[in-house]
Every structure is written in C-alpha cells, then in structure tokens.
Amino acid sequence: MAVMAGWLYYDSDKQDAATACYRDALAMAAEIGDDELAAHTCLNKALQTITQAGRGKANPRSALQSTLRAADLARPRTSGRIHALIASRQALAHSLLGDRSAFDRSIATAWREMDLACDREPLSQCPDWLQFMCHNEVRYHEACGNAHLGDASKSTELFERVAAERAGQRNAANYRAWFARSLAHVGNITDAITEATDVIASLADGVSSSRTLRVLEPVRIAASKPYHSGFRERYDQLSVQA
C-alpha cells in the first residue's frame, strides 16, 4: 500500500508525499525481509528522482544509486522484466548525466533482457507490478534518454512509435504527451498542439495525471499564436484543477 500510494502521489506531482511513502515502504521491506518490495520501491524512487532531475530539482546520481540497489536486490531473481526495467532506468540516469556510452550500454541491456523475458517468461507468471514492462516501455525510455542527450530528431522518431502502440489509458496519454513535447522541441508546433489537444481531452475525461500535464508545459509555452488560444485555455483550466 505504501509503494502504491507513493506512485499515486508521484503521478499527482506531490513529490514530498511520494518520498515519504517510499521511505515507509523501504523501511517495511527491510523489517520483513521482502527484497522484491524493496527493489520495486527503489525503481519507483529512481523514476521519481529522474523526473525531478529533469527539472533541475534532483541529482541523477541518486537515481543511479537506487537502480544499483534494485539490481543487487533482484540479482537472485530470474524475471527478465525486472532486469529490463532496471537497465531502462539506469539508461535514463546515465542520459541525464550526459554519458552517451553508458546510456547506449544500458539501453542495449534493457532490450536484451526484454527479449529474453518475452521468450521465456509468460506474462501470467510475472508479478503484477511488472506486467506493464514491455518492448514499448524500453522504447519509451530510449526516447526519453535521447531527448536528455540532445538528439531531438531521434527522440521524436522514437516517441512517435511509442505513441502509436496500444497501451492502457493512462500510459497512452503520457506517451502521447511526450510525443507532443518532442514535436514542439523540433519546431513542429502545429502537430505538437494537435497531439497535445488529444491528451488534454483524455486528462479532462477522467485520466487525472498532473505528471502528464506537466510534460506538456513546453507545448503550452510554444502555443503563442492567437489561433492557439483554445488550447491554451484548456491547458490552463486543467492546470488550475490539478
């Protein structure tokens, strides 16, 4: 419950509350010797730190440390999905540190572990919290990493593929938000606003996620023309409600 509450607070962009929940989850995992819970929490904490680091509010080295701890905890486990997720989060931390070679190594590991998981690990045998992990999630991490490393063209290409894949409603909205953001970064404001408008519609229709709304901030900034006023108004209205 603590790790789930932490993720919900993270998604709602209430980072102090998320941190407190993750601290409680780690303490309880240590008390009962639950290494899987501890690894799960470390990976969630790494994602939170990566998000905050992207805003200049955290050190990506802390995220890397969380992934290394998760790797130690998960070492006895055969689940390929957990190792793919660890490598994906490590890749993001390396990208924020500006280390292209380490990023490339980690993302290659993530792809390899995901391939092995699909070949050898039926989804029904995978823990519930890892069932979201798939090739498209690795691609999403790769796209984010390329964005952090300044390769906007490669990032946009990958985000387009990510957004085109079938996903749950919440993940689909987040993927399309990142695609819209990447389009804005390469100067394609018209298509960025088109994509972002669809995301705004999803967020207004029950997919409550302040995290996803914040991803769209660069699109909101780029929507500077008079004929963008409708998008700006819808975005600002949701921002007030968030």
Side-chain angles (χ1 to χ4, degrees):
M1 289 179 67
V3 74
M4 177 60 71
W7 190 91
L8 291 171
Y9 277 127
Y10 160 74
D11 192 53
S12 299
D13 208 18
K14 297 177 180 177
Q15 303 304 331
D16 289 343
T19 297
C21 287
Y22 291 150
R23 184 169 55 244
D24 289 345
L26 283 172
M28 287 185 280
E31 183 176 350
I32 63 174
D34 190 334
D35 287 349
E36 182 178 324
L37 173 60
H40 183 182
T41 307
C42 285
L43 288 169
N44 280 21
K45 179 62 179 171
L47 180 60
Q48 180 198 25
T49 305
I50 286 164
T51 300
Q52 292 295 85
R55 303 171 186 169
K57 295 183 177 180
N59 189 334
R61 293 190 185 280
S62 295
L64 192 56
Q65 290 170 357
S66 292
T67 64
L68 292 172
R69 183 178 178 191
D72 285 340
L73 291 163
R75 203 173 305 280
R77 301 184 179 280
T78 58
S79 171
R81 282 179 173 81
I82 193 170
H83 296 296
L85 181 56
I86 290 167
S88 294
R89 297 277 159 84
Q90 287 175 340
L92 281 186
H94 287 307
S95 71
L96 282 164
L97 290 165
D99 191 336
R100 163 61 79 172
S101 60
F103 167 77
D104 287 342
R105 287 195 302 272
S106 292
I107 208 68
T109 299
W111 280 110
R112 183 173 64 252
E113 291 289 354
M114 198 62 241
D115 286 343
L116 289 171
C118 284
D119 288 343
R120 304 176 183 178
E121 182 183 292
L123 196 59
S124 60
Q125 297 178 14
C126 181
D128 289 347
W129 69 275
L130 282 169
Q131 290 189 5
F132 79 99
M133 194 61 198
C134 60
H135 284 97
N136 202 43
E137 187 70 15
V138 177
R139 187 176 293 112
Y140 163 74
H141 282 75
E142 185 175 4
C144 288
N146 275 282
H148 296 150
L149 288 163
D151 192 341
S153 177
K154 180 66 173 177
S155 175
T156 302
E157 174 191 334
L158 288 167
F159 276 129
E160 183 174 17
R161 294 175 63 188
V162 168
E165 291 285 332
R166 291 177 60 87
Q169 194 176 16
R170 183 177 298 274
N171 277 351
N174 192 54
Y175 292 157
R176 294 193 70 181
W178 276 101
F179 179 40
R181 180 187 180 115
S182 69
L183 287 168
H185 280 166
V186 296
N188 188 346
I189 307 305
T190 298
D191 288 347
I193 291 175
T194 298
E195 289 290 331
T197 298
D198 288 345
V199 175
I200 291 293
S202 295
L203 295 175
D205 191 31
V207 184
S208 176
S209 175
S210 299
R211 170 179 59 116
T212 298
L213 188 64
R214 188 180 279 261
V215 170
L216 293 174
E217 282 182 349
V219 184
R220 169 62 178 85
I221 293 169
S224 58
K225 304 296 184 183
Y227 52 85
H228 297 154
S229 61
F231 169 73
R232 292 196 301 268
E233 289 169 5
R234 288 191 290 273
Y235 179 94
D236 293 346
Q237 183 180 14
L238 275 180
S239 295
V240 170
Q241 296 171 359

